[in-house]
């Protein structure tokens, strides 16, 4: 029993402490968070724009050019794997830019935007049509009605699925190793190939991902509860 | 004040309004009744262009509002609308519900709008609800607030689309009371309703709509006492 503890301790020492390897994990986590954070912001911006474009209709009820463009964007992004999108961005579209973080942020942001667009579109459609009619009947424009009445209510609707999307996005960044970025996953992999022990680095990476996402989901549910304040009786 | 000429509205294959003509004078209280599907709500919603008429013309104070290049938002500021399902803005407090449009449309400052809101809230006895959210109000209270919200824009006409149909019976009275006071104050009103008592008491004219047209129009006394068309006689015999 005692020797088992010593063995585990040695494995831990080799995976995290020797040659200050914990600093590698920390650096990797930094890359993961940086890419996920900026991609999430880009995704929300692109997603909101695409959702509003997709919802726009012509006066005769037919889909507008804007909505067709948004539909094509969403279709292409959802229809191709994100690894392929990342590689296309790295080797073809931005082959002259060797800033891996920038390429990853753009690629994941564009990817996430397509999913966010559908989430936001559903959230807007879930707001009762009567709210829009009431706004318009008071003389507010379509844009004012959207901004002050529909979107604030849609945000409440979309918060749970958007939170889910953020979590998926954070985990999806584990593929940035393909464009030679040293994120948490790649660092763990590198350490295990150095020490010839996969257990500690990979379990360690998994625990770190789990803790980060747990914190994120606690923050999201706090925000959700605050936004629900107007529903309370 | 409102002039409707040969108004048609078609939803896909459904011809809802079939050439409605009507004229509303300032200060009149027009009550529209009729069976469901007769087009009365669509007629009302065409007046402030929540529905776009398929053909025909509507004039508001002599201005053609169904033509091209009309500023719809400006037109709607002159017409208050009260809905069957209240449609209070769920994300805003009662005070913000009332002041949103006047302030965002830059018709009043925040203080002026709040002042106007409070004096209107006093009139309907709901001043203490100013900071509440709509979800904490009863149906009758919501509808009184919805009326106040429309009045805060100082409209020339008020349109009511079955304002009491979604209410519990004991709350109908309080809403009708507010509408009566409004009528006495001289507001021009067009009311779609099933409240025959209200039509009789408050209406200056009562219209009967059926199959997309105005079938009969008369003063309340004549309308209820001496209905001429067989369809209206049949309808009244069922609802009275």
């Amino acid at each position: 029993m005692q020797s088992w503890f010593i063995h585990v301790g040695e494995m831990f020492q080799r995976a995290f402490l020797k040659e200050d390897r914990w600093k590698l994990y920390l650096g990797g986590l930094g890359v993961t968070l940086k890419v996920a954070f900026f991609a999430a912001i880009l995704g929300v911006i692109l997603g909101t724009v695409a959702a509003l474009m997709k919802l726009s209709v012509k006066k005769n009820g037919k889909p507008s050019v804007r909505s067709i463009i948004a539909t094509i964007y969403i279709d292409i992004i959802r229809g191709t794997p994100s690894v392929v999108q990342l590689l296309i961005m790295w080797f073809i579209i931005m082959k002259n830019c060797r800033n891996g973080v920038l390429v990853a942020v753009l690629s994941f942001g564009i990817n996430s935007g397509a999913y966010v667009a559908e989430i936001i579109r559903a959230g807007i459609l879930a707001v009762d049509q009567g709210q829009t009619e009431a706004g318009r009947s008071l003389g507010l424009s379509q844009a004012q009605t959207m901004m002050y009445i529909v979107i604030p209510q849609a945000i409440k609707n979309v918060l749970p699925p958007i939170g889910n999307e953020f979590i998926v996005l954070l985990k999806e960044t584990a593929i940035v190793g393909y464009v030679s970025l040293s994120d948490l996953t790649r660092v763990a992999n590198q350490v295990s190939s150095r020490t010839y022990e996969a257990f500690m680095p990979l379990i360690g990476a998994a625990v770190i991902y789990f803790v980060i996402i747990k914190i994120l989901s606690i923050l999201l549910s706090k925000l959700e509860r605050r936004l629900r304040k107007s529903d309370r009786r | 004040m409102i002039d409707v000429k040969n108004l048609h509205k078609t939803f896909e294959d459904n011809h809802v309004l079939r050439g409605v003509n009507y004229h509303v004078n300032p200060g009149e209280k027009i009550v529209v009744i009729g069976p469901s599907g007769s087009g009365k709500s669509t007629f009302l919603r065409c007046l402030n262009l929540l529905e776009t008429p398929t053909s025909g013309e509507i004039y508001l104070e002599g201005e053609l509002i169904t033509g091209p290049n009309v500023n719809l938002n400006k037109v709607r500021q002159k017409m208050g609308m009260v809905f069957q399902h209240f449609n209070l803005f769920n994300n805003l407090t009662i005070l913000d519900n009332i002041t949103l449009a006047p302030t965002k449309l830059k018709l009043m400052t925040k203080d002026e709008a709040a002042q106007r809101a409070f004096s209107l809230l006093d009139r309907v006895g709901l001043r203490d609800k100013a900071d509440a959210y709509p979800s904490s109000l009863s149906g009758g209270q919501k509808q009184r607030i919805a009326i106040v919200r429309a009045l805060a824009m100082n409209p020339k006409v008020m349109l009511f689309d079955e304002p009491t149909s979604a209410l519990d019976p004991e709350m109908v009275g309080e809403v009708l009371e507010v509408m009566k006071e409004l009528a006495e104050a001289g507001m021009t009103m067009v009311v779609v309703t099933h409240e025959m008592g209200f039509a009789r008491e408050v209406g200056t004219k009562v219209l009967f709509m059926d199959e997309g047209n105005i079938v009969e129009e008369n003063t309340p006394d004549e309308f209820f006492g001496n209905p001429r068309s067989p369809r209206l006689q049949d309808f009244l015999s069922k609802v009275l």
Side-chain angles (χ1 to χ4, degrees):
Chain A
M1 191 66 192
Q2 205 186 4
S3 67
W4 184 79
F5 271 115
I6 290 167
H7 177 61
V8 169
E10 278 171 355
M11 270 166 68
F12 187 87
Q13 208 258 347
R14 276 197 298 277
F16 297 108
L17 303 178
K18 200 175 166 201
E19 295 169 9
D20 274 348
R21 280 180 186 146
W22 57 274
K23 282 183 181 164
L24 293 175
Y25 294 91
L26 215 57
L29 178 63
V31 170
T32 295
L33 292 178
K34 213 186 316 179
V35 170
F37 179 77
F38 289 108
I41 291 176
L42 181 61
V44 167
I45 294 169
L46 284 177
T48 309
V49 172
L52 292 174
M53 281 170 68
K54 194 167 175 183
L55 283 169
S56 72
V57 283
K58 280 195 200 150
K59 265 210 164 131
N60 57 15
K62 296 225 172 75
S64 63
V65 178
R66 277 179 293 177
S67 102
I68 292 168
I69 293 172
T71 305
I72 292 172
Y73 158 62
I74 293 166
D75 266 4
I76 291 176
I77 296 299
R78 289 200 305 187
T80 52
S82 44
V83 184
V84 177
Q85 291 165 15
L86 181 66
L87 292 174
I88 289 173
M89 192 62 95
W90 179 247
F91 287 115
I92 303 171
I93 298 173
M94 298 187 64
K95 66 175 178 215
N96 294 323
C97 168
R98 290 302 84 174
N99 181 340
V101 171
L102 180 66
V103 170
V105 166
L106 279 178
S107 181
F108 283 110
I110 291 169
N111 178 280
S112 184
Y115 293 92
V116 171
E118 288 297 82
I119 292 169
I120 289 182
R121 191 172 69 91
I124 287 173
L125 289 176
V127 175
D128 181 17
Q129 181 67 29
Q131 298 282 312
T132 306
E133 287 185 356
R136 299 306 306 275
S137 80
L138 288 165
L140 296 170
S141 67
Q142 181 70 42
Q144 286 171 321
T145 307
M146 268 286 166
M147 184 141 79
Y148 299 119
I149 300 160
V150 177
I151 289 182
Q153 296 183 53
I155 286 174
K156 272 193 294 193
N157 293 340
V158 303
L159 211 57
I162 285 276
N164 195 38
E165 171 59 25
F166 287 162
I167 288 169
V168 169
L169 175 61
L170 184 83
K171 291 189 293 184
E172 194 122 288
T173 60
I175 59 171
V176 292
Y178 275 98
V179 297
S180 49
L181 271 183
S182 290
D183 72 318
L184 184 55
T185 304
R186 192 159 188 246
V187 165
N189 207 9
Q190 282 168 340
V191 170
S192 71
S193 59
R194 178 89 59 89
T195 60
Y196 301 107
E197 271 167 5
F199 184 83
M200 275 293 165
L202 291 181
I203 296 295
V207 168
I208 296 170
Y209 276 115
F210 181 82
V211 170
I212 297 291
I213 284 165
K214 194 71 205 167
I215 293 170
L216 181 63
S217 61
I218 289 170
L219 290 177
L220 282 165
S221 65
K222 273 210 170 120
L223 181 61
E224 200 180 320
R225 241 173 298 155
R226 256 193 38 202
L227 287 177
R228 295 237 167 253
K229 144 184 104 178
S230 64
D231 295 345
R232 240 178 264 149
R233 291 190 165 255
Chain B
M1 169 160 268
I2 305 178
D3 228 338
V4 180
K5 286 184 179 154
N6 198 24
L7 184 66
H8 285 266
K9 176 68 186 176
T10 322
F11 293 106
E12 284 163 19
D13 299 336
N14 193 1
H15 202 163
V16 182
L17 293 180
R18 299 162 183 256
V20 176
N21 292 289
Y22 201 69
H23 182 78
V24 182
N25 290 310
E28 276 193 306
K29 293 88 177 83
I30 310 295
V31 181
V32 186
I33 66 171
S36 60
S38 61
K40 52 194 193 310
S41 278
T42 307
F43 171 59
L44 193 75
R45 290 162 58 84
C46 279
L47 292 183
N48 71 350
L49 301 170
L50 278 184
E51 301 292 352
T52 313
T54 310
S55 68
E57 291 164 355
I58 301 172
Y59 296 84
L60 176 68
E61 296 184 308
E63 183 200 352
L64 178 70
I65 60 172
T66 43
N69 308 323
V70 174
N71 186 339
L72 275 187
N73 300 327
K74 275 266 183 296
V75 169
R76 288 185 181 130
Q77 289 174 25
K78 298 182 196 165
M79 299 200 210
M81 177 127 183
V82 176
F83 299 87
Q84 181 176 359
H85 295 288
F86 332 124
N87 296 347
L88 294 183
F89 305 135
N90 297 322
N91 56 320
L92 301 178
T93 63
I94 298 309
L95 185 64
D96 290 342
N97 259 275
I98 301 167
T99 58
L100 178 76
T103 52
K104 293 301 176 199
L105 294 169
K106 304 210 165 26
L107 303 174
M108 298 179 200
T109 65
K110 250 191 147 106
D111 287 345
E112 285 166 355
Q115 218 169 6
R116 169 115 179 104
F118 277 116
S119 80
L120 287 166
L121 283 171
D122 277 336
R123 259 168 74 181
V124 298
L126 290 171
R127 175 185 267 263
D128 58 322
K129 298 291 184 194
D131 294 324
Y133 281 94
S135 58
S136 67
L137 268 56
S138 74
Q141 291 172 331
K142 281 184 201 171
Q143 197 60 300
R144 282 186 281 159
I145 298 293
I147 294 172
V148 164
R149 178 177 67 180
L151 287 176
M153 292 290 293
N154 294 313
K156 301 260 169 71
V157 191
M158 285 285 284
L159 311 175
F160 293 84
D161 189 5
E162 302 199 25
T164 58
S165 298
L167 295 175
D168 289 339
E170 77 264 29
M171 290 170 184
V172 171
E174 64 193 58
V175 171
L176 291 182
E177 202 49 50
V178 171
M179 290 169 65
K180 271 180 212 166
E181 279 170 28
L182 193 57
E184 279 159 19
M187 177 63 75
T188 309
M189 295 162 67
V190 182
V191 185
V192 171
T193 187
H194 297 293
E195 292 293 328
M196 299 302 154
F198 178 85
R200 206 189 286 254
E201 200 181 328
V202 179
T204 53
K205 286 273 174 58
V206 187
L207 308 186
F208 178 63
M209 282 191 76
D210 194 25
E211 293 179 359
N213 241 317
I214 298 172
V215 176
E216 193 157 337
E217 177 219 344
N218 222 325
T219 59
D221 286 347
E222 278 292 300
F223 185 92
F224 291 105
N226 189 16
R228 267 167 276 160
S229 72
R231 268 186 288 176
L232 176 56
Q233 287 165 5
D234 181 52
F235 180 75
L236 288 177
S237 73
K238 282 177 190 153
V239 297
L240 287 180

